[in-house]
Amino acid sequence: MFESKINIALFFGGRSAEHEVSLLSARSIFQALNQDKYNIFPIAISKNGYFRSLAVSKKILFGEDKRVPEVERTNVLPEGILNLLENKIDLVFPVLHGPFGEDGKIQGFLDVLNIKYVGCNLRASAVGMDKAYMKQIFAYNGIPQSKFEILKKMDYSQQKRSNFFNEFAKNLGLPFFIKPANMGSSIGISRVNDLQSFARAVNEAFEFDKKLILESNVEGRELESAVLGSEKDIKVSAAGEIISTHDFYDYQAKYEDQSTELIIPAKLSPAAKAKIRNLSVQAFRAVGAEGISRLDFFVNEEQDQILVNEINTMPGFTKFSMYPLLFEESGISYSELLDNLIELALKKDK
């Protein structure tokens, strides 16, 4: 037994479209945390942003609910926040994917409360979430990536959509992909082959964000690496490959389709392994990440091409998610990985 347990608040749910993924991640994390070392306080956040009480949160976490039930807002401080303050929390583990959790908002809230937390700070979280800023920062740092364009809703006119399509097709080639700038788990992403699919893809993506990323199609394998550490001490896992029967690795392929295959470790030349490792470190440092991140790549060894697709500062964390599986291959178990992330967070300057 440990002399003094660490009090950890486990945030899960949240307002984003990745709410259900967050719930799955939180259940896996709770089960894997060493309860001889940690007191764990689950705090569920509903889709309308309401922090649920500790008692309700436990029922949701241990039940079969696919989402945190919404409740009426009142003028009373949410019970979940009271639990956070009254239990002298040492650390928050914000298992919140997507907007209102991975984008710096919850990190800024915890900074105000002077509570430490697992993962990236406000700035790195915001940059990692907003793929337009992320790609511009990657470009500034000379990190290789696919061609891209940025489309803002305020600039888009349906009356002139053919002009937009022709310009993007000229710059990016066909097919190209459209996705919301601030979203994860491949939500809202579509493949564009012609004007009709372009109009449909733009309208769908604008349902999730006011700013879109348009990317050229890249012929190559989809690989991922996991990163753990601080700026001075960075561990990079072996790379893993995703083989999907879908046109691209979308939400269904990630969480619903059992035919998606994960190959860990990926078969790569020593030179490709080294380049992926170096680019992982370079991208991690470029956005100022700390603690946890997953890097996504497009790899075509025949053309000697390795491109960084994006960085994810709070990746899926179920026992079957790529991030923990990659580190398991590298000799760090799921529970040990959680211990490392908590230790890093506690050492981090506020």
Side-chain angles (χ1 to χ4, degrees):
M1 292 291 291
F2 294 83
E3 292 183 4
S4 179
K5 290 187 180 183
I6 298 169
N7 293 331
I8 297 178
L10 188 65
F11 284 10
F12 63 96
R15 293 174 58 187
S16 87
E18 297 177 76
H19 180 102
E20 289 78 9
V21 181
S22 169
L23 186 52
L24 295 174
S25 293
R27 284 175 178 159
S28 291
I29 289 171
F30 186 93
Q31 292 168 1
L33 284 170
N34 184 343
Q35 298 196 31
D36 287 335
K37 294 173 67 174
Y38 311 115
N39 291 316
I40 309 163
F41 300 88
I43 296 181
I45 305 174
S46 66
K47 285 283 285 184
N48 60 347
Y50 199 93
F51 284 65
R52 304 307 305 270
S53 70
L54 188 60
V56 172
S57 297
K58 286 181 177 179
K59 289 181 181 179
I60 294 166
L61 189 65
F62 303 141
E64 296 300 322
D65 306 63
K66 291 187 177 181
R67 66 170 52 192
V68 182
E70 295 186 13
V71 292
E72 293 292 330
R73 285 188 176 274
T74 68
N75 293 323
V76 180
L77 185 66
E79 291 183 21
I81 299 297
L82 288 175
N83 293 146
L84 179 67
L85 299 174
E86 291 175 351
N87 287 297
K88 297 181 180 179
I89 295 300
D90 299 302
L91 183 77
V92 170
F93 200 135
V95 194
L96 301 166
H97 309 302
F100 304 101
E102 193 178 341
D103 57 0
K105 291 184 175 68
I106 201 72
Q107 289 78 10
F109 169 68
L110 294 171
D111 286 337
V112 171
L113 295 179
N114 203 28
I115 297 176
K116 293 187 176 183
Y117 49 87
V118 169
C120 295
N121 62 21
L122 187 159
R123 292 182 299 276
S125 299
V127 170
M129 191 71 224
D130 191 315
K131 296 175 184 62
Y133 291 140
M134 178 198 70
K135 287 182 172 295
Q136 289 167 329
I137 288 174
F138 282 175
Y140 178 82
N141 284 274
I143 296 173
Q145 55 188 329
S146 61
K147 292 181 180 178
F148 69 94
E149 297 281 350
I150 299 169
L151 177 61
K152 296 181 179 179
K153 192 170 186 177
M154 62 180 293
D155 298 328
Y156 180 67
S157 169
Q158 292 197 15
Q159 286 74 26
K160 298 181 180 179
R161 63 187 181 187
S162 61
N163 294 343
F164 283 95
F165 170 75
N166 291 333
E167 184 67 20
F168 293 137
K170 177 182 176 182
N171 295 341
L172 302 175
L174 288 174
F176 60 83
F177 290 88
I178 292 180
K179 58 187 176 184
N182 290 275
M183 189 55 66
S185 294
S186 301
I187 292 172
I189 185 172
S190 299
R191 177 185 174 116
V192 172
N193 299 299
D194 49 33
L195 177 59
Q196 184 178 4
S197 59
F198 170 75
R200 184 169 57 249
V202 168
N203 290 336
E204 179 182 348
F206 275 142
E207 292 180 7
F208 297 99
D209 198 0
K210 295 180 180 180
K211 183 167 54 176
L212 311 182
I213 298 295
L214 298 86
E215 297 174 315
S216 62
N217 182 51
V218 177
E219 296 295 336
R221 300 155 65 191
E222 294 186 53
L223 273 72
E224 296 181 350
S225 71
V227 184
L228 169 71
S230 60
E231 185 178 7
K232 295 180 180 179
D233 182 19
I234 299 175
K235 295 182 177 69
V236 181
S237 73
E241 182 173 4
I242 301 156
I243 298 179
S244 174
T245 56
H246 295 238
D247 287 340
F248 54 92
Y249 193 39
D250 60 5
Y251 184 92
Q252 184 182 4
K254 286 182 178 180
Y255 303 110
E256 299 173 0
D257 189 349
Q258 300 300 313
S259 67
T260 297
E261 185 179 3
L262 305 180
I263 300 175
I264 304 173
K267 295 180 180 179
L268 293 164
S269 68
K273 290 179 182 178
K275 189 169 184 180
I276 288 174
R277 184 175 297 273
N278 290 337
L279 286 173
S280 297
V281 172
Q282 190 177 351
F284 189 80
R285 286 178 171 157
V287 301
E290 52 193 342
I292 179 174
S293 286
R294 192 195 69 230
L295 273 296
D296 300 349
F297 295 87
F298 294 121
V299 177
N300 189 325
E301 288 195 79
E302 293 180 359
Q303 298 180 12
D304 192 28
Q305 184 182 65
I306 297 179
L307 305 177
V308 177
N309 182 30
E310 63 182 61
I311 187 170
N312 187 313
T313 59
M314 185 52 71
F317 222 108
T318 73
K319 291 181 179 180
F320 309 105
S321 296
M322 193 60 131
Y323 184 87
L325 289 176
L326 289 171
F327 270 118
E328 185 175 351
E329 170 62 29
S330 302
I332 302 176
S333 71
Y334 191 96
S335 293
E336 290 172 329
L337 184 57
L338 294 173
D339 287 341
N340 286 336
L341 288 168
I342 290 166
E343 184 179 353
L344 283 166
L346 290 172
K347 290 180 178 179
K348 187 169 53 177
D349 292 332
K350 293 182 182 178

